Amino acid sequence: MKKWNDARILAILLAGVMAVSAVNAVAQDHGASDGHGNHAASTHAGDSHDGGSDDAAHGDGHEQPTLFTGDLGNIFWSWLTFLIVIGVLGKFAWKPILTSLQQREEFIRDSLAKAKQDRESAEASMKEYEQRLQAAREEATAMVEEGRRDAEVLHRKIEQEARDEATAMLDRAKSEISLARDTAIKELYGLTAQLATEVAGKIVGKELNAADHERLVSESVDELSKLHAN
Amino acid sequence: MYLLASSNPLDHVYQWIYLKTEVGGFDFTLLSNHIVMQIIAAILLVFLFPMLVRMRQTGDPVSDLTPRGFGNFIDSICNYLRTEIAQPMLGDYTDRFIPYIWSAFFYILTVNLLGLIPLEAITRGAVQGVFPEAHHGIGGAATGNIFVTGALATVTMVMMVFNGLRLGGMHYIAHFCPGPLWLAPILIPVELVGLVAKIFALTVRLFANMVAGHVLLAVLASFIALTYHALGTGGASGVAFVVTIVSVLFNLLEIFVAFLQAFIFAFLSAVFIGQSIVFHHDDHDEAAAH
């Protein structure tokens, strides 16, 4: 902020110095032109100059120029300098600059086209990858599903088999047990009958003959079977 | 200080002739302050521009196409004139005529800007050393000379007519009579006057604008002299203070005008050349039908 203020003060001072020196210059000119007589007068007159007084003022017989002073020479020099500029710059400046502008234009156009192309191809690739990814995901899901189904089936099968086997084993065991029991009961009956017969024989005091013995045993067995059945 | 010392505010926009001859009964100026300024402008352009446009950053393919330093100034103006001005006007012919548009712009710009440099007072002695009769140093805007602006405008006219005939042929001639044939006696003179009027407009626009700015500055400065005589040193100092500040602002405006007028000349040249080589759609259809 302070810097700006300094700059402003400096500018105003500079303008002041210029103004004073401008007035000085006018004063000097005024003093100098007094010698010429009519220069000061023409200064007073401002822009009301005419040829007559100028000739006297300059004192060298030159015509006072006007706004339209000029002739063929100006046309010639304008054409000459302008055509030289057109020719030389055309070859040494405009040609390189035009080439560079065209190259830059082409470069930018190509870059944009390439960027567009790249983007399109990237979008296409992405679409493809997305499709592939989707397909892979579906495939994976299907595979997992299938695996689960297979596992389920296998699981059931194994379970079923195990159950069947267990049932079979149980049945076998039951039948074996029942067979063993029947056999044991049968043996027990036999033994019991024999024992009973022997005991009875001893009590009766006589030996039973073979036929009685057989009959008693089967009677006892029947009775026992009935008992057992009840 | 010359502006103040000169008795006439228009003195510094006049052409001051140093050397003159006669060719075929006509005056022919060999050297004047304006001619020297034009030669200086041409030398500056011819020697500086080929060097400046080659200022490029180098290294990679992008940098090779990127201007550097002052090259940016030229590059951006050239690019603007080409894409914004010439391409809409000249279409496919842009790159054929753009060197002329660029040349016109930079030539006029350089002459205009050189005219803003106060060289007169410091060169008067040197000029008088060579031409003792001269009483004016070099300096001033050569584009404030109607013969100069006229000469430049005729180059544009030659570009219009020559290229119109070369590229359009009969189409160009036909466009001088846009109506029915029985109207030709009226239309052809009107169109011819139109052509000359375009060139006259180019001439006067540049001339008048360049003169006006300089006259304005000189008139402002002359107020100091007037108040000095009327009010003395005290009054003149007050006025001089205001005039100095306003003159600085008008000088800045003049720099803008120097660019603006160069641009307008280049722009109108592009428009006029475009009008004479790019034909209306009816013409194209007609040509296609044949």
Side-chain angles (χ1 to χ4, degrees):
Chain A
M1 199 61 199
K2 193 172 179 301
K3 203 175 166 188
W4 271 108
N5 284 340
D6 287 351
R8 277 181 208 150
I9 291 165
L10 203 67
I12 292 168
L13 279 178
L14 199 65
V17 169
M18 283 171 75
V20 169
S21 54
V23 174
N24 243 353
V26 171
Q28 276 174 12
D29 180 54
H30 184 63
S33 59
D34 277 349
H36 286 276
N38 66 351
H39 198 110
S42 55
T43 309
H44 282 295
D47 57 357
S48 65
H49 247 290
D50 59 19
S53 69
D54 271 290
D55 283 351
H58 296 301
D60 54 14
H62 256 273
E63 272 179 54
Q64 165 70 18
T66 69
L67 268 183
F68 299 98
T69 300
D71 51 39
L72 286 178
N74 289 106
I75 296 173
F76 166 78
W77 275 106
S78 300
W79 279 346
L80 183 70
T81 50
F82 189 40
L83 293 179
I84 286 173
V85 165
I86 292 176
V88 173
L89 292 193
K91 192 164 164 51
F92 296 108
W94 306 143
K95 200 177 251 180
I97 218 164
L98 189 59
T99 314
S100 113
L101 286 179
Q102 284 168 339
Q103 276 176 352
R104 197 159 60 196
E105 217 171 65
E106 208 170 308
F107 183 79
I108 291 170
R109 199 184 297 123
D110 287 354
S111 300
L112 286 176
K114 197 172 172 296
K116 190 166 174 255
Q117 201 181 333
D118 285 354
R119 201 187 58 216
E120 278 168 1
S121 98
E123 274 173 3
S125 300
M126 193 160 144
K127 215 171 195 177
E128 197 195 320
Y129 288 139
E130 267 175 7
Q131 278 173 351
R132 268 195 216 171
L133 198 69
Q134 186 63 26
R137 198 174 287 140
E138 278 167 10
E139 204 176 334
T141 313
M143 274 166 79
V144 168
E145 194 59 35
E146 198 186 328
R148 189 182 293 141
R149 218 164 34 236
D150 285 357
E152 188 79 12
V153 168
L154 197 65
H155 172 75
R156 291 238 173 87
K157 197 177 156 196
I158 288 170
E159 208 178 49
Q160 192 59 41
E161 273 175 10
R163 195 174 287 134
D164 289 351
E165 202 173 332
T167 314
M169 272 169 77
L170 201 65
D171 288 349
R172 202 161 52 241
K174 269 184 184 164
S175 69
E176 270 173 18
I177 288 167
S178 132
L179 200 66
R181 196 191 57 192
D182 288 353
T183 315
I185 288 171
K186 223 173 239 173
E187 272 177 20
L188 197 62
Y189 289 166
L191 206 61
T192 312
Q194 203 174 346
L195 268 171
T197 311
E198 277 172 16
V199 170
K202 272 175 189 163
I203 293 167
V204 176
K206 68 164 184 170
E207 196 124 328
L208 289 174
N209 64 15
D212 291 339
H213 180 87
E214 194 69 26
R215 192 176 40 85
L216 278 170
V217 167
S218 70
E219 274 174 15
S220 309
V221 167
D222 284 346
E223 250 171 75
L224 274 169
S225 294
K226 274 176 196 163
L227 274 173
H228 184 69
N230 290 334
Chain B
M1 295 310 112
Y2 154 70
L3 292 180
L4 301 163
S6 64
S7 48
N8 184 334
L10 292 175
D11 270 4
H12 77 295
V13 288
Y14 291 155
Q15 169 170 241
W16 297 88
I17 293 164
Y18 303 148
L19 200 60
K20 198 173 187 172
T21 180
E22 266 192 24
V23 176
F26 291 102
D27 283 346
F28 193 98
T29 303
L30 289 175
L31 217 52
S32 72
N33 59 333
H34 286 170
I35 291 170
V36 172
M37 295 309 278
Q38 282 176 283
I39 293 171
I40 292 172
I43 289 172
L44 281 177
L45 286 170
V46 161
F47 285 96
L48 282 181
F49 266 53
M51 210 169 67
L52 293 174
V53 298
R54 282 185 169 76
M55 288 176 80
R56 305 247 152 234
Q57 307 187 351
T58 48
D60 54 277
V62 176
S63 296
D64 287 342
L65 295 173
T66 314
R68 177 171 57 86
F70 200 76
N72 278 303
F73 172 78
I74 297 168
D75 192 282
S76 56
I77 288 179
C78 286
N79 190 33
Y80 177 79
L81 288 175
R82 179 165 172 264
T83 55
E84 303 295 326
I85 306 304
Q87 272 170 1
M89 302 296 166
L90 299 167
D92 295 340
Y93 295 109
T94 299
D95 288 349
R96 189 193 288 223
F97 294 109
I98 195 67
Y100 174 72
I101 309 292
W102 286 340
S103 301
F105 177 81
F106 282 106
Y107 180 82
I108 293 169
L109 177 69
T110 312
V111 172
N112 287 354
L113 289 177
L114 284 176
L116 291 174
I117 303 174
L119 291 171
E120 201 280 324
I122 47 174
T123 55
R124 195 187 304 165
V127 169
Q128 281 171 343
V130 185
F131 304 104
E133 288 199 348
H135 34 68
H136 198 285
I138 62 166
T143 40
N145 182 328
I146 199 161
F147 287 85
V148 172
T149 58
L152 298 178
T154 51
V155 179
T156 293
M157 187 178 79
V158 169
M159 292 288 286
M160 284 166 68
V161 176
F162 177 73
N163 289 299
L165 287 173
R166 191 169 58 133
L167 301 171
M170 285 311 290
H171 279 287
Y172 181 69
I173 294 170
H175 107 285
F176 278 100
C177 180
L181 207 62
W182 59 271
L183 274 176
I186 302 168
L187 287 175
I188 289 175
V190 167
E191 287 287 331
L192 284 174
V193 167
L195 175 67
V196 175
K198 283 173 185 169
I199 298 315
F200 189 69
L202 270 185
T203 305
V204 172
R205 184 178 290 108
L206 181 57
F207 163 72
N209 276 288
M210 294 323 292
V211 167
H214 288 260
V215 171
L216 184 65
L217 286 169
V219 168
L220 275 174
S222 75
F223 288 160
I224 301 173
L226 289 175
T227 47
Y228 176 77
H229 295 301
L231 306 169
T233 314
S237 295
V239 170
F241 185 74
V242 176
V243 164
T244 306
I245 289 171
V246 175
S247 296
V248 168
L249 298 179
F250 272 109
N251 261 301
L252 296 175
L253 181 73
E254 278 306 296
I255 294 173
F256 168 69
V257 170
F259 277 86
L260 182 71
Q261 291 306 320
F263 170 75
I264 288 175
F265 192 97
F267 172 71
L268 289 179
S269 292
V271 172
F272 293 159
I273 294 172
Q275 281 174 349
S276 59
I277 58 163
V278 180
F279 297 97
H280 300 297
H281 287 293
D282 328 348
D283 296 21
H284 281 299
D285 294 344
E286 219 174 270
H290 288 302

